[in-house]
């Protein structure tokens, strides 16, 4: 879908889980030279299970959506297949005719930069939440957006509808009162100038605008956690950062649309029972998607762009054993590829 026509895409906000009026309001961003603290080790529990979101399921049926997913999944899918660090495992199931995509299963961090960025992102949110929230763990809100995408030639639908649930934790204190998304960029050598932003990071700026969020980038000194400064992010900033065609931030979007088109054609077999999802991992209505794909011989597929689809099976027949992967999920790769992934050119000043 390299020739994807963006005029065929439509993005529409449809609902909120609860009013966002009581979310922490950000009037001033933290000043430069402020040092961020390490995030609490319980922050991961704040992300609710999409499989148990009844409101999301109701909206999917109401708007005739074929796929229900989250903004976390979108950020994962924007990583371009074929890159050395692009790897994910997504659980999906079908219920009442809707394909629900769960959160990506944890994996080893592809580099120290990726690990530090994720922790710094959370530290920044917790710092701002603690300034206004009345409790130590303020409740998140969810916004729901309906994406209308072009259908693939193998389906009979005139278009493909995807309901996206996005988590909202902060809002901006201005006339827009828009949900606020903060992102951090780790600077390892700030004395040499600002690092150039990667294609993937710039694609996230575009995603924020599509999800109707106001976003800002915080540059952080990776050596001591000090805030170096703030920058605006927008679609214009995403394209102005690099004009090279091979670094086009829209490349990930075209491949994400192609992925959704392919997922909508998966044959789950049997009848969709529409029952509770508490036991969905053993259900015939569930699948595991893996990139890069794994063949029946338990070896990686030759094509790094291929996604393999796996149905539940007993231990003897299993092609994929998720146990070892989950046991290593708190690790960080420290090989040559990891350090190549960490490298960024500088904008000399």
């Amino acid at each position: 879908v390299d020739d994807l026509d963006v005029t065929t895409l439509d993005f529409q906000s449809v609902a909120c889980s609860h009013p966002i009026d009581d979310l922490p309001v950000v009037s001033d961003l933290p000043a430069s030279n402020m040092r961020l603290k390490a995030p609490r080790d319980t922050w991961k529990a704040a992300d609710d299970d999409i499989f148990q979101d009844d409101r999301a399921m109701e909206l999917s049926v109401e708007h005739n959506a074929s796929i229900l997913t989250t903004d976390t999944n979108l950020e994962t899918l924007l990583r371009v297949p074929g890159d050395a660090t692009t790897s994910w495992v997504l659980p999906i199931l079908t219920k009442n005719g809707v394909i629900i995509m769960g959160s990506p299963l944890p994996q080893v961090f592809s580099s120290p930069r990726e690990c530090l960025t994720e922790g710094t992102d959370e530290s920044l949110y917790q710092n701002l939440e603690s300034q206004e929230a009345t409790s130590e763990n303020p409740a998140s809100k969810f916004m729901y957006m309906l994406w209308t995408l072009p259908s693939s030639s193998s389906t009979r639908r005139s278009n493909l509808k995807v309901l996206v649930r996005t988590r909202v934790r902060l809002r901006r204190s201005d006339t827009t009162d828009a949900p606020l998304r903060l992102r951090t960029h780790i600077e390892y050598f700030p004395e040499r100038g600002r690092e150039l932003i990667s294609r993937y990071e710039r694609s996230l700026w575009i995603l924020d605008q599509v999800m109707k969020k106001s976003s800002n980038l915080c540059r952080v000194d990776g050596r001591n956690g000090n805030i170096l400064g703030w920058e605006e992010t927008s679609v214009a900033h995403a394209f102005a950062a690099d004009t090279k065609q091979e670094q086009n931030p829209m490349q990930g979007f075209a491949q994400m649309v192609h992925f959704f088109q392919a997922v909508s054609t998966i044959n789950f077999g049997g009848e969709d029972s529409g029952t509770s999802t508490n036991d969905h991992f053993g259900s015939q209505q569930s699948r595991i998607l893996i990139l890069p794909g794994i063949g029946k011989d338990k070896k990686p597929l030759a094509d790094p762009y291929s996604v393999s689809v796996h149905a539940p099976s007993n231990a003897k027949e299993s092609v994929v054993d998720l146990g070892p992967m989950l046991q290593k999920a708190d690790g960080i790769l420290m090989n040559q590829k990891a350090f190549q992934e960490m490298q960024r050119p500088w904008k000399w000043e």
Side-chain angles (χ1 to χ4, degrees):
V1 290
D2 292 336
D3 56 347
L4 177 66
D5 182 2
V6 295
T7 60
T8 63
L9 308 183
D10 179 60
F11 310 102
Q12 175 187 1
S13 297
V14 293
C16 293
S17 58
H18 300 283
I20 66 173
D21 296 345
D22 56 345
L23 283 175
V25 178
V26 178
S27 55
D28 295 309
L29 296 173
S32 298
N33 297 322
M34 190 194 84
R35 175 169 295 185
L36 296 175
K37 299 179 181 179
R40 297 186 299 271
D41 58 2
T42 57
W43 62 273
K44 279 287 188 181
D47 197 10
D48 294 354
D49 186 0
I50 185 66
F51 293 122
Q52 307 298 334
D53 191 335
D54 295 333
R55 179 57 174 156
M57 194 67 224
E58 292 173 1
L59 289 170
S60 298
V61 175
E62 177 184 346
H63 294 278
N64 196 29
S66 302
I67 300 174
L68 170 60
T69 188
T70 66
D71 54 342
T72 301
N73 283 334
L74 299 184
E75 293 187 11
T76 299
L77 295 174
L78 283 176
R79 294 186 180 275
V80 176
D83 288 353
T85 58
T86 301
S87 173
W88 45 253
V89 178
L90 290 175
I92 65 173
L93 65 85
T94 179
K95 182 180 179 182
N96 297 332
V98 179
I99 298 175
I100 308 174
M101 298 178 58
S103 298
L105 298 187
Q107 296 194 71
V108 175
F109 287 104
S110 63
S111 71
R113 178 188 288 274
E114 182 186 20
C115 177
L116 189 55
T117 298
E118 184 169 328
T120 308
D121 275 355
E122 184 60 27
S123 176
L124 189 59
Y125 269 102
Q126 291 182 4
N127 176 272
L128 291 171
E129 287 173 335
S130 63
Q131 295 178 12
E132 298 289 342
T134 57
S135 62
E136 184 179 355
N137 295 291
S140 297
K141 310 296 182 181
F142 295 109
M143 296 178 61
Y144 302 92
M145 177 170 286
L146 186 67
W147 290 22
T148 304
L149 310 176
S151 179
S152 65
S153 57
S154 58
T155 64
R156 297 180 180 179
R157 299 186 182 92
S158 58
N159 51 47
L160 177 66
K161 293 184 177 180
V162 179
L163 188 74
V164 181
R165 188 189 74 172
T166 180
R167 184 184 179 193
V168 182
R169 301 172 64 177
L170 299 170
R171 61 190 177 96
R172 189 179 288 280
S173 61
D174 55 19
T175 55
T176 62
D177 201 34
L180 179 61
R181 181 64 167 96
L182 302 177
R183 299 189 182 276
T184 59
H185 179 82
I186 304 300
E187 297 277 345
Y188 283 100
F189 301 96
E191 67 276 4
R192 300 187 182 183
R194 294 179 299 168
E195 292 182 354
L196 296 180
I197 304 299
S198 69
R199 173 182 56 193
Y200 172 68
E201 290 174 281
R202 289 183 286 119
S203 70
L204 297 180
W205 298 357
I206 299 176
L207 178 63
D208 291 338
Q209 301 303 312
V210 171
M211 302 306 296
K212 301 186 185 302
K213 292 183 178 181
S214 174
S215 61
N216 289 88
L217 177 71
C218 178
R219 292 186 183 263
V220 178
D221 192 331
R223 301 168 298 183
N224 52 32
N226 287 344
I227 294 178
L228 298 172
W230 292 87
E231 299 175 14
E232 294 185 17
T233 62
S234 67
V235 175
H237 288 90
F239 284 100
D242 193 342
T243 58
K244 296 180 180 179
Q245 184 62 31
E246 62 269 20
Q247 294 296 319
N248 186 351
M250 288 300 296
Q251 183 177 353
F253 283 90
Q255 295 180 348
M256 180 172 63
V257 171
H258 179 71
F259 172 80
F260 283 134
Q261 293 170 342
V263 167
S264 67
T265 65
I266 292 178
N267 181 10
F268 286 83
E271 295 295 328
D272 184 352
S273 63
T275 57
S276 171
T277 58
N278 291 334
D279 57 351
H280 63 264
F281 287 114
S283 168
Q284 287 301 313
Q285 282 73 47
S286 65
R287 295 290 186 271
I288 293 289
L289 309 181
I290 300 180
L291 177 77
I294 299 177
K296 294 182 178 180
D297 56 359
K298 301 184 180 182
K299 296 181 180 180
L301 299 177
D303 184 0
Y305 288 83
S306 296
V307 176
S308 56
V309 182
H310 304 268
S313 60
N314 58 46
K316 293 182 179 179
E317 300 175 349
S318 178
V319 173
V320 180
D321 185 3
L322 299 178
M325 181 190 70
L326 294 175
Q327 291 175 1
K328 299 177 181 178
D330 60 347
I332 305 173
L333 291 180
M334 300 291 284
N335 55 21
Q336 183 177 357
K337 287 185 178 180
F339 283 95
Q340 289 175 344
E341 166 66 14
M342 287 180 62
Q343 293 178 355
R344 299 286 187 275
W346 292 279
K347 181 178 180 180
W348 295 90
E349 297 176 338

